[in-house]
Amino acid sequence: MTLIVVFPDGITMGETRRQFLRATGATALASQLGITATAQSDGVRLLLNWKPNGLHVPYYAAKARGYYDQQGVTLAEIQSGQGSDFAAKQVGLGNTEFAITGASQILNINTRGLNPQSVGVVMQKSPVVVFTTRDAFGSEMERIDQLAGKTVGTGPGMVRILTKLLLEEQGVLSEVELVDTGFDTVQQLLGGKIDAAGGVFADAVVARQSAETVYSIPVAETIPSYGHVVGTNPEFAEANPNVVRGFLNATARGAAWATDNPDEATDMLVAANPALEETAETQRAKWVEMASDYVLSESVRQHGWGWSDAQPWETMYRALLDADLLGGETDPASVWTNDHLDTDYQFVGEYAEQVTPSESTATTTGTDAETTTEDRSN
């Protein structure tokens, strides 16, 4: 069976390259011809993958503290997004200079006639998790095979795809009732309508605000893959290498400062987005967990912030291709590069030595875990 995913603007993951180009129109052709290759005089724009939240703290902190300006980069605007698929497509079209998107969507859009490229990995592992609460599950959830006979809810897009792949890899997909919970997954879990949920770790953070204990199993333990990446158009990067390098330097420095100063950094996010004031503590918790569990990796310790290795890209590509979720084929090595990472800059090359992450309050269990860490957020 082929799974069709509907994008926010009506493009589906089942469409062909010809259909994609026809739907996007002349702007796609303009991008392919290099018409939008140079930086605009009023500065560059960053398109987020979603509405501003705690996962976006580094960009707001770097902007507020002047790190982009110090790198000679005028960041004119941080724009709210409509999903990683939309962000990857827009940067591929040349409609924004930079975008925060998912590694999976960089691969996806590269099989559909555009060529957005990852120039830095922000999340060194996928943020997708399967999680539950003690009340909803009735006991500790330590292994995915415990979901046999249970109802698992997920929202749309890559969260559902990766949750399904995880269940399949663990051999329990046929024994699980997988239901679509839209954008109401956390509420349905807390309300007892589902036994467990597929979401991102930020959803588990939200659940911890109401539940005494939350158990979470990362998809990346079974399916090694990257999460958020910084995407740009390779034609723009070729024409503006100093802008791309400066943007990455400033973002890395913003992440380092925000890791060591999560309260002040969250205040900067909220100051730029006043609607988040009521959920400021939740946004802080999201950033603390991201900084401690997702930004650092062995590759970052060895090579520096934002580093890409080939294997996670190849693993994700093969998983998506085998599931018939791409528009065609592409070389996964062509969709990413480390060339714009300035490893001589201390906040890139020596990122791991610059930071002391706060302890995450997540209750995380692995597929082979025997113990859990109790939640300490309440």
Side-chain angles (χ1 to χ4, degrees):
M1 180 179 68
T2 300
L3 178 63
I4 303 297
V5 178
V6 179
F7 287 14
D9 54 356
I11 305 300
T12 70
M13 288 188 71
E15 285 185 315
T16 65
R17 178 179 184 273
R18 183 186 299 274
Q19 289 171 318
F20 180 90
L21 291 176
R22 185 165 60 242
T24 53
T27 310
L29 297 177
S31 177
Q32 290 179 328
L33 292 172
I35 294 175
T36 57
T38 57
Q40 299 191 18
S41 59
D42 58 349
V44 298
R45 298 151 296 175
L46 171 64
L47 175 64
L48 302 178
N49 62 307
W50 195 241
K51 298 175 183 178
N53 63 77
L55 307 186
H56 304 129
V57 160
Y59 320 112
Y60 287 96
K63 191 174 191 302
R65 291 184 63 80
Y67 295 157
Y68 293 110
D69 292 335
Q70 291 172 24
Q71 290 288 328
V73 177
T74 301
L75 181 55
E77 186 178 6
I78 302 177
Q79 301 172 323
S80 180
Q82 301 177 40
S84 288
D85 47 2
F86 180 81
K89 185 167 64 177
Q90 292 304 306
V91 81
L93 290 168
N95 291 337
T96 186
E97 288 79 18
F98 297 100
I100 304 305
T101 182
S104 57
Q105 290 301 336
I106 289 284
L107 285 163
N108 174 40
I109 299 303
N110 266 272
T111 67
R112 299 176 188 281
L114 300 176
N115 62 337
Q117 187 174 57
S118 168
V119 291
V121 177
V122 181
M123 287 185 185
Q124 289 284 317
K125 63 181 183 182
S126 169
V128 177
V129 298
V130 174
F131 66 102
T132 190
T133 68
R134 177 175 288 165
D135 289 341
F137 203 67
S139 63
E140 294 183 6
M141 183 181 72
E142 298 180 325
R143 306 177 314 277
I144 290 297
D145 62 15
Q146 291 177 266
L147 294 172
K150 302 289 188 179
T151 299
V152 179
T154 77
M158 293 310 301
V159 167
R160 185 175 181 84
I161 292 167
L162 288 177
T163 300
K164 184 177 178 181
L165 286 174
L166 175 62
L167 295 170
E168 187 173 28
E169 287 287 328
Q170 295 295 318
V172 294
L173 179 60
S174 62
E175 302 176 64
V176 170
E177 182 184 0
L178 193 61
V179 299
D180 185 359
T181 49
F183 296 101
D184 197 35
T185 303
V186 174
Q187 290 71 24
Q188 292 197 35
L189 178 67
L190 295 175
K193 296 181 179 180
I194 54 177
D195 300 310
V200 295
F201 72 84
D203 296 323
V205 170
V206 173
R208 289 204 303 272
Q209 308 308 305
S210 301
E212 181 179 353
T213 304
V214 175
Y215 303 105
S216 180
I217 297 177
V219 167
E221 290 189 354
T222 301
I223 308 169
S225 54
Y226 290 131
H228 289 184
V229 301
V230 177
T232 192
N233 189 299
E235 293 171 353
F236 172 82
E238 183 179 359
N240 303 275
N242 292 335
V243 174
V244 176
R245 185 178 304 110
F247 182 89
L248 295 173
N249 283 351
T251 299
R253 187 177 180 184
W257 185 85
T259 297
D260 291 342
N261 301 274
D263 293 337
E264 297 93 327
T266 303
D267 288 343
M268 292 171 178
L269 167 73
V270 173
N273 303 277
L276 296 177
E277 186 170 359
E278 293 184 3
T279 62
E281 184 55 36
T282 299
Q283 306 311 326
R284 177 192 179 279
K286 291 179 183 180
W287 166 241
V288 167
E289 188 162 332
M290 175 175 163
S292 62
D293 295 341
Y294 289 84
V295 176
L296 286 169
S297 71
E298 189 57 34
S299 288
V300 170
R301 293 183 178 92
Q302 290 184 5
H303 302 289
W305 177 91
W307 194 263
S308 272
D309 288 316
Q311 182 180 3
W313 289 101
E314 179 70 27
T315 299
M316 173 56 66
Y317 173 68
R318 289 298 167 191
L320 294 173
L321 189 65
D322 290 346
D324 196 24
L325 297 174
L326 299 176
E329 295 187 5
T330 191
D331 178 2
S334 71
V335 308
W336 61 273
T337 180
N338 292 319
D339 290 350
H340 301 288
L341 293 170
D342 183 3
T343 55
D344 291 330
Y345 183 59
Q346 69 180 106
F347 293 104
V348 175
E350 300 175 7
Y351 180 86
E353 287 76 24
Q354 308 299 318
V355 299
T356 305
S358 301
E359 186 176 4
S360 169
T361 59
T363 303
T364 302
T365 59
T367 52
D368 299 318
E370 296 180 356
T371 60
T372 63
T373 302
E374 288 300 312
D375 177 74
R376 295 179 293 276
S377 63
N378 294 307

Coordinates of all heavy atoms in Angstrom, one line a residue, residues 129-142 146-147 150-152 189-190 194-198 204 207-208 211-217 363 365:
V129 N 9.5 10.8 18.6 CA 9.5 9.8 19.7 C 8.1 9.2 19.7 O 7.1 9.7 19.2 CB 9.8 10.5 21.0 CG1 11.2 11.1 21.1 CG2 8.8 11.6 21.4
V130 N 8.1 8.0 20.3 CA 6.8 7.4 20.7 C 6.7 7.6 22.2 O 7.7 7.2 23.0 CB 6.7 5.9 20.3 CG1 5.5 5.3 20.9 CG2 6.7 5.8 18.8
F131 N 5.7 8.2 22.7 CA 5.6 8.5 24.2 C 4.2 8.2 24.7 O 3.2 8.0 24.0 CB 6.0 9.9 24.4 CG 5.0 11.0 23.9 CD1 4.1 11.6 24.7 CD2 5.0 11.3 22.5 CE1 3.2 12.5 24.2 CE2 4.1 12.2 22.0 CZ 3.2 12.8 22.8
T132 N 4.2 8.1 26.0 CA 3.0 7.8 26.7 C 3.1 8.3 28.2 O 4.2 8.7 28.6 CB 2.6 6.4 26.7 OG1 1.2 6.2 27.2 CG2 3.5 5.5 27.5
T133 N 2.0 8.3 28.9 CA 2.0 8.6 30.3 C 1.8 7.4 31.1 O 1.2 6.4 30.6 CB 1.0 9.7 30.7 OG1 -0.3 9.1 30.5 CG2 1.1 10.9 29.8
R134 N 2.1 7.4 32.4 CA 1.9 6.2 33.2 C 0.4 6.0 33.3 O -0.1 4.8 33.3 CB 2.5 6.5 34.6 CG 2.2 5.3 35.6 CD 2.9 5.5 36.9 NE 4.3 5.3 36.8 CZ 5.2 5.7 37.7 NH1 4.8 6.4 38.7 NH2 6.5 5.5 37.5
D135 N -0.4 7.0 33.4 CA -1.9 6.9 33.6 C -2.5 6.3 32.3 O -3.3 5.4 32.3 CB -2.5 8.2 33.9 CG -2.3 8.7 35.3 OD1 -1.9 7.9 36.1 OD2 -2.4 9.9 35.5
A136 N -2.0 6.8 31.1 CA -2.6 6.3 29.9 C -2.2 4.9 29.5 O -3.0 4.1 29.0 CB -2.2 7.2 28.7
F137 N -0.9 4.5 29.9 CA -0.4 3.2 29.5 C -0.7 2.2 30.6 O -0.8 1.0 30.3 CB 1.1 3.3 29.2 CG 1.6 2.2 28.4 CD1 1.3 2.2 27.0 CD2 2.5 1.3 28.9 CE1 1.8 1.2 26.2 CE2 3.0 0.3 28.1 CZ 2.6 0.2 26.7
G138 N -0.8 2.6 31.8 CA -1.1 1.7 32.9 C 0.1 1.1 33.5 O 0.0 0.3 34.5
S139 N 1.3 1.3 32.9 CA 2.5 0.8 33.5 C 3.7 1.5 32.8 O 3.4 2.4 32.0 CB 2.6 -0.7 33.2 OG 2.6 -1.0 31.8
E140 N 4.9 1.1 33.1 CA 6.0 1.7 32.4 C 6.1 1.2 31.0 O 5.8 0.0 30.7 CB 7.3 1.3 33.1 CG 7.5 1.9 34.5 CD 8.8 1.6 35.2 OE1 9.6 1.0 34.5 OE2 9.0 1.9 36.4
M141 N 6.5 2.1 30.1 CA 6.7 1.7 28.7 C 8.2 1.7 28.5 O 8.8 2.8 28.4 CB 6.0 2.6 27.7 CG 6.2 2.1 26.2 SD 5.4 3.2 25.0 CE 6.5 4.6 25.1
E142 N 8.8 0.5 28.3 CA 10.2 0.4 28.1 C 10.6 0.0 26.7 O 11.8 0.2 26.3 CB 10.8 -0.6 29.2 CG 10.6 -0.1 30.6 CD 11.2 -1.1 31.6 OE1 11.1 -2.4 31.3 OE2 11.7 -0.7 32.6
Q146 N 5.8 -3.5 23.6 CA 4.7 -3.4 24.6 C 3.5 -2.7 24.0 O 2.4 -2.8 24.6 CB 5.2 -2.6 25.8 CG 6.2 -3.3 26.7 CD 6.7 -2.4 27.8 OE1 7.7 -1.7 27.7 NE2 5.9 -2.4 28.9
L147 N 3.6 -2.2 22.8 CA 2.5 -1.5 22.1 C 1.6 -2.5 21.4 O 0.5 -2.1 21.0 CB 3.0 -0.5 21.1 CG 3.7 0.7 21.8 CD1 4.4 1.6 20.7 CD2 2.8 1.6 22.6
K150 N -2.3 -2.2 21.5 CA -2.6 -0.8 21.9 C -3.0 0.1 20.8 O -2.8 -0.2 19.6 CB -1.4 -0.2 22.6 CG -0.9 -1.0 23.8 CD -1.8 -0.9 25.0 CE -1.1 -1.5 26.3 NZ -2.0 -1.4 27.4
T151 N -3.6 1.2 21.1 CA -3.9 2.3 20.2 C -2.9 3.4 20.2 O -2.7 3.9 21.3 CB -5.3 2.9 20.4 OG1 -6.3 1.8 20.4 CG2 -5.7 3.9 19.4
V152 N -2.3 3.6 19.1 CA -1.2 4.7 19.0 C -1.7 5.8 18.0 O -2.1 5.5 16.9 CB 0.1 4.1 18.5 CG1 1.1 5.2 18.4 CG2 0.6 3.0 19.4
L189 N -4.0 11.9 24.2 CA -3.3 11.0 25.1 C -3.7 11.3 26.6 O -4.0 10.4 27.3 CB -1.8 11.2 24.9 CG -0.9 10.3 25.8 CD1 -1.1 8.9 25.5 CD2 0.6 10.8 25.7
L190 N -3.6 12.6 26.9 CA -4.0 13.0 28.3 C -5.4 12.7 28.6 O -5.8 12.4 29.8 CB -3.7 14.5 28.5 CG -2.2 14.9 28.4 CD1 -2.1 16.4 28.5 CD2 -1.4 14.2 29.5
I194 N -6.2 7.5 23.5 CA -5.2 6.7 22.9 C -4.3 6.2 24.0 O -4.2 6.8 25.1 CB -4.4 7.4 21.8 CG1 -3.8 8.7 22.4 CG2 -5.3 7.7 20.6 CD1 -2.9 9.4 21.4
D195 N -3.6 5.1 23.8 CA -2.7 4.5 24.8 C -1.3 5.1 24.7 O -0.6 5.1 25.7 CB -2.6 3.0 24.6 CG -4.0 2.3 24.7 OD1 -4.6 2.5 25.7 OD2 -4.3 1.5 23.8
A196 N -0.9 5.5 23.5 CA 0.5 6.0 23.3 C 0.4 6.9 22.1 O -0.6 6.9 21.3 CB 1.5 4.9 23.1
A197 N 1.5 7.7 21.9 CA 1.4 8.7 20.8 C 2.8 8.7 20.1 O 3.8 8.5 20.7 CB 1.1 10.1 21.3
G198 N 2.7 9.0 18.8 CA 3.9 9.3 18.0 C 3.9 10.8 17.9 O 2.9 11.5 17.5
A204 N 6.2 15.5 24.1 CA 6.3 14.9 25.4 C 6.6 15.9 26.5 O 6.1 15.7 27.6 CB 7.5 13.9 25.3
A207 N 3.3 17.2 27.4 CA 2.5 16.2 28.2 C 3.0 16.2 29.7 O 2.2 16.0 30.6 CB 2.7 14.9 27.6
R208 N 4.3 16.5 29.9 CA 4.9 16.5 31.2 C 4.3 17.6 32.1 O 4.4 17.6 33.3 CB 6.4 16.5 31.2 CG 7.0 15.3 30.7 CD 8.5 15.2 31.2 NE 9.3 16.3 30.9 CZ 10.0 16.4 29.7 NH1 9.9 15.4 28.8 NH2 10.7 17.4 29.5
A211 N 1.1 15.5 33.3 CA 1.2 14.1 33.7 C 2.4 14.0 34.6 O 3.5 14.6 34.4 CB 1.4 13.2 32.5
E212 N 2.3 13.1 35.6 CA 3.3 12.9 36.6 C 4.6 12.3 36.0 O 5.7 12.7 36.3 CB 2.8 12.1 37.8 CG 3.9 11.8 38.8 CD 3.4 11.0 40.0 OE1 2.2 10.7 40.0 OE2 4.2 10.6 40.8
T213 N 4.4 11.3 35.1 CA 5.5 10.7 34.5 C 5.2 10.4 33.0 O 4.1 9.9 32.7 CB 5.8 9.3 35.2 OG1 6.0 9.6 36.6 CG2 7.0 8.7 34.6
V214 N 6.1 10.7 32.2 CA 6.0 10.5 30.7 C 7.2 9.6 30.3 O 8.3 9.8 30.6 CB 6.0 11.8 29.9 CG1 6.0 11.5 28.4 CG2 4.8 12.7 30.3
Y215 N 6.8 8.5 29.6 CA 7.8 7.6 29.0 C 8.0 7.9 27.5 O 7.0 8.0 26.8 CB 7.5 6.1 29.2 CG 7.2 5.8 30.7 CD1 6.0 5.7 31.2 CD2 8.3 5.7 31.6 CE1 5.8 5.4 32.6 CE2 8.1 5.4 32.9 CZ 6.9 5.2 33.4 OH 6.7 5.0 34.7
S216 N 9.2 7.9 27.0 CA 9.5 8.3 25.7 C 10.6 7.4 25.1 O 11.6 7.2 25.7 CB 9.9 9.8 25.6 OG 10.2 10.2 24.3
I217 N 10.3 6.9 23.9 CA 11.3 6.1 23.1 C 11.6 6.8 21.8 O 10.8 7.0 21.0 CB 10.7 4.7 22.9 CG1 10.5 3.9 24.2 CG2 11.7 3.9 22.0 CD1 9.9 2.6 24.0
T363 N 11.7 11.8 30.8 CA 11.7 10.4 31.1 C 11.8 9.6 29.9 O 10.9 9.4 29.1 CB 10.4 10.0 31.8 OG1 10.2 10.8 33.0 CG2 10.4 8.6 32.3
T365 N 13.1 6.2 27.7 CA 13.4 4.8 27.8 C 13.8 4.3 26.4 O 13.3 4.7 25.4 CB 12.2 3.9 28.3 OG1 11.1 4.1 27.4 CG2 11.8 4.4 29.7

